Amino acid sequence: MLDWLKNINKEYPDFWKDYLTKFETKPNRFVVLSTETSGLNPDKDVILSLGAFSVIDDGIVIKDNFESVLLQYKYLQDNGLSNEFIIESKMIKMPEPDALEAFIKFLGNAILVGHHINFDIEMLNSALERLDCGRIKNEALDVDIMYRKLMDVNDKQFSLDDLCEIYKIPKSDRNSSAEDAYRIALLFLKLKSRLGIK
Amino acid sequence: MNTIAEHIADFLKEYPPFDNLTFQELSDIAINIRVINLEKHTVLFQNNDALHDSFYVVASGVINLTTIADAEETIINKCHEGDIFGLRPFFAKNNYMMTAKAREESIIYAIPIAVFRPFVANNSDVLNFLLESFAVNSRHTKDSVNSNGKVISDTSFYVDQGSEMQYIQSLSYNNSPLTTEANHIVKDVAILMTEAMVDNIIVCEKNKPIGIVTATDLSSKIATGRYPITETIDKIMSSPVVTVIENVSLAEAQLLMLKHNVTHLCVTKDGTSKSAVKGIISEHDLIVAQASNPGVLIKEIKRSQLPKDLKQIRDRLSDLIQNSIQKNIPISHISNIASEINLAIIKRAVELSILDLGSPPARFAWLSIGSQGRKEQLLLTDQDSILIFEDVTPEKYRETKDYFLRLAKRATAILEKVGYEYCPNGHMGSNMLWCKSLTDWTKQYNSWMNTPGENSNDLSSIFFDYEIVFGEPKIEEVIENVIFKNAVNNTLFFDFLGNDALKKNSPLSFFKKFIVEEEGPHKTKFDIKTRALMPLIDGARLLILNANIKGIKNTYLRFKQLAITDSKNAEIYLSCAEAFLTLSKFRTVEGLKNDDSGQYINLREMSKTDKEKLKNALTPMKDLEELIKSKFQLTQFS
């Protein structure tokens, strides 16, 4: 509530204003997201890469994807790494503000899906704050919570690898946020039909 | 940049026709794919659904393709990883002609036709692959032997083999028949028929059939001058027309034609003349459908030149068995047909080897032993065979044995390519030990039967179930006589066989629970072969040898025969015969489900009623055991 008061007269960047208008319509698409971060603290750590796929009508739409490596100069310097370290990746490289803008445009009003998605959202929110934007408004689903609801388990969390093993989704030898996003998307399809989510 | 699209392209390039495309092209295709997850038993499309805008590739799991005939579902094909299906939208405008359903949870790539079409147009290899696969009526494209991927035709109804199997066979027929109305002029109708090159036309009123005009009507009523060609068509039509429901089976169509003495049947939506016309079945369609039956399969086997041709035929047999079991055709009947076809395949393998090696230097007999010898082979199991050649002069012996060993090696290698694995215990004619002269074989049987236990490692009871496949029947007779002569009053031998039959572990615990495997890869599964089938098979063999009954090789028939010969125990024998069939069926179903020998049954996947049925089939074993114990007073080896 106070956040809202604080921001009432604030001038947002154009892409953010555009994003806010998208919520007038109902979402028809899910965006499955996975992030790679430098650590677990939303205030101190940064996002290193983003991978996302959209799911429409019970199918993963391969074309409708978002992949990016974020050039975190400050992070690299703090850790004594050179730029070359990150240039090895085949993914598109963008500075954090560009990547976030592009991702918000890609996301639109879709329902976010992830594994322990709250953390991803917190990371995104802190990055957005640095760009003078508000907080992510999208609805969000967490595959771990979906699984626990399906199985009626309350006292235990499941890692992405646990869940993939349960549903026999092959592990990938290369590990990137795009691969994780794809695996989460497959998991999501399986859980979605079992839970009867439209 | 799309990492996953590249992974998918990597996957596709392993399978035809995608292997003809460059990686860049595949990436372009992959980027347009939709990935779909199908839960078990989910239907992707079904008969008569409008065509989708995509075709499909199985990424993981299994999809069953089925058609419906006589209101029953028949599996046409199973699509595994890398298989393509649902190509119909490429070539046809009307609806799907089959149902695609997930047999287990599966992940499917949907490739949009619009995206793939340019690649087909620009790449003749891809086009040819699709056309060729589409042109053949069944799944058995040339490629299916050589490659993992195959395309399944879904243009027409699947026409399966089997004159005995007719009632499960569906028909392909004309789905867009010519129709006309009652007030049309004969001449115009005749022109219409000539242009369409068909010999029949249905006369309709508001799309409901009221009669039919065939070439016969034209010749008998017009050409004879009885009616002028300016007459209206209703004057010469045959009415009423015989109507049938959609998806009628071959057998039913045949019966109806005979009953009504007609050459055409009109297919309507609900099978009566009060609904819309869907198609026309002509006598010719029946003839075409009959062209593939077990008789034809055997003919094809006789014509085959290569192992891979034989393999295709063996695959078709598996389909036939699967369909028959689904239709509840008696298992004894199915195994008769299956054994005949197996026999023909083995025979052809020996024949092909002789064609390669030149004429044999002496007469010989190739015997199948074990399950094929008993005519009980339904699933692809390993090979068991022996070779017996007639005695030759000592100086020729080496040369002769060499020839037959080479012959056997060749024949067993062909069979291995067809899909019959080598016997793990080496019980094959290609083994030095089991390829020898008649005298040596006589000695062998004599020693087995008169001094059992001395070299008991060698003695496997499967040597007492044999059937000649190729060569001189007299040789088999001689061996049979040796066995039965030795069996008379041979307490020691029966003691040995009896103990062998009884030492198998019992199937149920004291509390009537299944005894399952405790360790190993089949943990918690039930070993139906060793615990249930083998005791019956062994028991039947023992009793039939003891009763000195020749010529009956099949466990089921052995029990039936025993019930006649030894009538005071008839009840036990008859229940064993029934139990044997039930158990064989369970095993075959399990084997077809997992594409293996079906030895281990997964009890957890079984319904409660099936479990009861299985348990009931195990009860006669106790009686049989008691019977054997009392009959042979087993002492010597116990």
Side-chain angles (χ1 to χ4, degrees), chain B residues 484-498:
Chain B
F484 278 92
K485 209 178 83 204
N486 276 321
V488 178
N489 296 328
N490 189 340
T491 348
L492 196 65
F493 174 64
F494 288 116
D495 242 34
F496 182 81
L497 274 195

Side-chain angles (χ1 to χ4, degrees), chain B residues 313-329:
Chain B
I313 295 168
R314 185 61 186 75
D315 288 348
R316 276 153 74 181
L317 177 62
S318 298
D319 295 350
L320 186 84
I321 292 172
Q322 180 155 8
N323 283 340
S324 313
I325 285 190
Q326 279 180 342
K327 302 284 163 181
N328 277 325
I329 291 173

